[in-house]
Amino acid sequence: MRLDKLIEIVERASRTEIKRLLKSRQVLIDGEPELNGNRNVDSQLHRIEVAGKPVWTNHVYYLMNKPAGIVTAVSDINKKTVIDLLAPDDYRREIFPVGRLDRDTEGLVFLTDNGPLGYALAQAKFQVAKVYEAVINEEVTQADVTAFFEGIIFLDGTRCRPAQLEILSAALGESRIRLTIDEGKYHQVKKMFLARGKKVTYLKRLQLGPLLLDNNLAPGEYRSLTLLELQHLRSFF
Ligand code: URA
């Protein structure tokens, strides 16, 4: 949560009062005066003090294994969304999925009610690595690996950043691959293969930045991040 928003809630402070508290060095983060009210904080990662009192945030951070058929959105008129998979006790109106997977894509979706964190993770400038496993309808070759490394150009001319393509198995009618990209264009993986004349028939996200999908989460299940996982996201705060 933004620090100024937190002060507003816990101190019931006006904008002027928030500015005064910050300027008069009465807001401490990890013992140091913090003057920047825009800053994103979480009391699991930071010791927050306002006017001599400790203050706590209570954000939620969920790692979900999205099944195929579910929409990565906050709401949808017809289809079930990742938000619909949350238990009533875990639901909050402010929770949103960070980035999106297509409806037929499975795998890791990160959900939070910490707006600035979600925004930072989705921003292109941070170049967050995303790892996918996919099945392709044709033989994937070393020429494809080279083309991905050099930067795929979509059929409409859009240029992608270099990506790391690893062939897990390759046969004429079907190949399995692992792909690491650090951007998030719409339908990116599918369009990258289309640019090579090949079709993705199955797609699963395994990793988003430092967050890994673990085998303990069945499709449709989710869990809170561990403190260690949250600490791995510290650079995005
Ligand atoms: N790329 C795609 O084409 N689809 C996804 O769901 C994610 C990445």
Side-chain angles (χ1 to χ4, degrees), residues 191-206:
K191 285 180 170 173
M192 287 171 109
F193 278 97
L194 266 186
R196 300 289 301 164
K198 298 176 186 181
K199 190 166 185 291
V200 173
T201 56
Y202 170 82
L203 186 59
K204 179 174 185 175
R205 182 156 70 189
L206 305 177

Side-chain angles (χ1 to χ4, degrees), residues 1-222:
M1 170 180 296
R2 272 175 64 135
L3 182 56
D4 49 9
K5 181 85 192 150
L6 179 64
I7 302 170
E8 182 188 334
I9 293 168
V10 295
E11 291 289 301
R12 295 208 174 104
S14 65
R15 296 220 67 74
T16 317
E17 179 65 0
I18 295 167
K19 276 197 191 134
R20 193 190 62 76
L21 284 162
L22 288 164
K23 255 187 147 175
S24 60
R25 304 168 85 85
Q26 293 190 69
V27 180
L28 306 185
I29 304 294
D30 297 328
E32 295 293 324
E34 177 61 69
L35 304 178
N36 177 12
N38 290 341
R39 171 176 179 172
N40 188 13
V41 287
D42 186 297
S43 54
Q44 292 185 73
L45 297 178
H46 312 104
R47 191 156 44 84
I48 312 165
E49 288 172 68
V50 178
K53 291 176 303 209
V55 167
W56 285 274
T57 54
N58 66 346
H59 280 302
V60 292
Y61 304 98
Y62 299 134
L63 195 149
M64 178 179 283
N65 185 0
K66 181 183 109 53
I70 300 289
V71 176
T72 313
V74 170
S75 64
D76 191 276
I77 309 170
N78 302 312
K79 304 277 185 310
K80 214 169 172 183
T81 72
V82 286
I83 300 292
D84 295 326
L85 297 181
L86 299 177
D89 283 353
D90 296 332
Y91 172 78
R92 294 177 187 190
R93 200 167 44 85
E94 299 81 10
I95 297 175
F96 65 98
V98 175
R100 67 181 294 282
L101 293 182
D102 296 337
R103 191 150 70 90
D104 59 352
T105 302
E106 298 177 7
L108 191 158
V109 173
F110 175 54
L111 300 121
T112 182
D113 59 349
N114 187 323
L117 175 65
Y119 180 72
L121 275 166
Q123 274 214 329
K125 71 172 179 194
F126 284 110
Q127 293 175 8
V128 176
K130 293 151 192 108
V131 181
Y132 294 89
E133 215 166 76
V135 177
I136 312 300
N137 72 336
E138 284 192 37
E139 186 174 11
V140 175
T141 63
Q142 279 308 315
D144 294 318
V145 174
T146 304
F148 274 68
F149 180 74
E150 286 172 350
I152 291 288
I153 301 172
F154 288 164
L155 301 178
D156 69 1
T158 307
R159 182 177 284 275
C160 298
R161 290 173 44 76
Q164 192 190 330
L165 174 62
E166 199 186 327
I167 302 170
L168 304 177
S169 68
L172 274 186
E174 186 179 281
S175 304
R176 300 189 74 87
I177 62 94
R178 185 167 299 152
L179 176 66
T180 306
I181 57 177
D182 63 7
E183 54 189 347
K185 299 187 196 303
Y186 188 56
H187 294 326
Q188 177 151 353
V189 177
K190 291 172 184 166
K191 285 180 170 173
M192 287 171 109
F193 278 97
L194 266 186
R196 300 289 301 164
K198 298 176 186 181
K199 190 166 185 291
V200 173
T201 56
Y202 170 82
L203 186 59
K204 179 174 185 175
R205 182 156 70 189
L206 305 177
Q207 190 175 338
L208 174 70
L211 304 178
L212 301 176
L213 187 66
D214 49 78
N215 292 328
N216 303 330
L217 278 184
E221 288 185 349
Y222 66 95

